[in-house]
Amino acid sequence: MSIRTTLAAAAMVVAVVPAGAEDYSAMSCSRLWYAENLILKRHGFCFTDPRAVKRFGNDGCTITMESRVPMTARERDDRARIVLTRRMKLCR
């Protein structure tokens, strides 16, 4: 991953998850998708979904099963809320 890609991803993090924001209901489906997959990417998940591979890539990935991604308790809670919000909004 290049510096330019890393900086662009960091800028998206700021745009997607403002400091202290837990109101996922205010986020669009695409922002929710990004926030959820960013959690997985940070921990080395290997994406199979073409959209996620295109956006995040698989460089340096080491984990192929979502259930094996070593998330913190906060990340697990955030991801669960994101998934629930995506379902409630009928996101694809």
Side-chain angles (χ1 to χ4, degrees), residues 59-72:
D59 292 343
C61 73
T62 57
I63 301 169
T64 58
M65 295 175 58
E66 282 186 41
S67 62
R68 300 215 181 241
V69 175
M71 293 181 266
T72 66

Side-chain angles (χ1 to χ4, degrees), residues 1 19 34 63 82:
M1 184 178 287
Y34 184 88
I63 301 169
I82 291 167

Side-chain angles (χ1 to χ4, degrees), residues 13-27 35 74 78 81-82:
V13 172
V14 172
V16 171
V17 186
E22 273 94 24
D23 185 11
Y24 293 114
S25 64
M27 290 184 178
R74 170 79 189 252
D78 284 347
R81 287 197 314 270
I82 291 167

Side-chain angles (χ1 to χ4, degrees), residues 5-15 34:
T5 304
T6 303
L7 291 174
M12 284 297 293
V13 172
V14 172
Y34 184 88

Side-chain angles (χ1 to χ4, degrees), residues 11-64:
M12 284 297 293
V13 172
V14 172
V16 171
V17 186
E22 273 94 24
D23 185 11
Y24 293 114
S25 64
M27 290 184 178
S28 68
C29 287
S30 72
R31 285 184 178 225
L32 289 164
W33 175 88
Y34 184 88
E36 178 182 359
N37 285 290
L38 182 62
I39 293 169
L40 297 172
K41 176 63 177 178
R42 285 180 182 154
H43 294 287
F45 182 68
C46 300
F47 295 101
T48 57
D49 171 50
R51 179 179 170 202
V53 172
K54 183 177 179 180
R55 179 63 185 101
F56 294 100
N58 276 330
D59 292 343
C61 73
T62 57
I63 301 169
T64 58

